[in-house]
Amino acid sequence: MCAAEAPAEGTESVIAGSRALLGVIARSLAPIVEQVPLPDYRLLVLLCSRGLLSRVEIVPLLDVTGLGLDEMLRRLAAGHLIDYQDGGVAATSKGRALVDEVTERRRAEVARLLGGMSMAERRTVTEGLALIAAAAGEPRPEELLILGL
């Protein structure tokens, strides 16, 4: 492999950490995955974290086609997890409750993992993950508080 093709430094450590977090995520989603497919759940999380979104805003966020989005919206609306407001799509209280339920399961497991680390290790982990979240375009926790989430 030539130098231009070498992965960014730290890639393997991030992959290993993401694998561990994927286990946390899978366990937190297990009770609902038959009710809400993962891509649909991701849309629900976006609606909960960003508020009302238009179809035009959703397509690039999920990298789906218009037809794929239509199917997702149909499934979520049939489950009363979303509704249409003022030309956009929003999570219902039932949809927000579902996201909150999954998030609380995930939060408990992450707290357990962090509880086994020193303060310095926790700071390193949280700072690194905050950088990854920012690079991925995720809202900062303080932005979610402004939205009331």
Side-chain angles (χ1 to χ4, degrees):
M1 175 185 288
C2 68
E5 296 174 3
E9 183 180 335
T11 298
E12 294 309 313
S13 292
V14 171
I15 287 174
S18 69
R19 235 185 351 260
L21 289 175
L22 182 58
V24 170
I25 293 164
R27 287 186 293 278
S28 70
L29 287 167
I32 65 123
V33 79
E34 287 186 27
Q35 175 189 354
V36 181
L38 291 178
D40 296 11
Y41 180 77
R42 178 63 181 150
L43 172 55
L44 200 53
V45 168
L46 288 171
L47 294 172
C48 287
S49 66
R50 297 178 186 220
L52 185 72
L53 293 173
S54 71
R55 290 175 46 83
V56 171
E57 293 171 310
I58 294 170
V59 168
L61 290 172
L62 296 178
D63 192 26
V64 294
T65 65
L67 289 174
L69 178 58
D70 287 344
E71 186 57 34
M72 293 169 78
L73 294 175
R74 272 194 290 280
R75 284 190 300 263
L76 290 169
H80 307 287
L81 300 172
I82 63 164
D83 63 10
Y84 301 94
Q85 303 174 3
D86 301 322
V89 181
T92 63
S93 59
K94 182 178 177 182
R96 285 188 299 279
L98 183 73
V99 170
D100 289 346
E101 172 190 324
V102 170
T103 301
E104 283 309 310
R105 279 194 294 273
R106 189 172 308 145
R107 183 174 283 120
E109 190 163 350
V110 168
R112 182 186 62 75
L113 292 171
L114 291 174
M117 297 179 187
S118 70
M119 285 300 289
E121 289 169 330
R122 272 186 245 163
R123 193 172 15 264
T124 299
V125 167
T126 56
E127 288 171 357
L129 288 174
L131 291 170
I132 288 174
E138 291 292 320
R140 295 185 325 264
E142 50 280 5
E143 292 173 325
L144 295 176
L145 293 175
I146 291 169
L147 293 171
L149 300 171

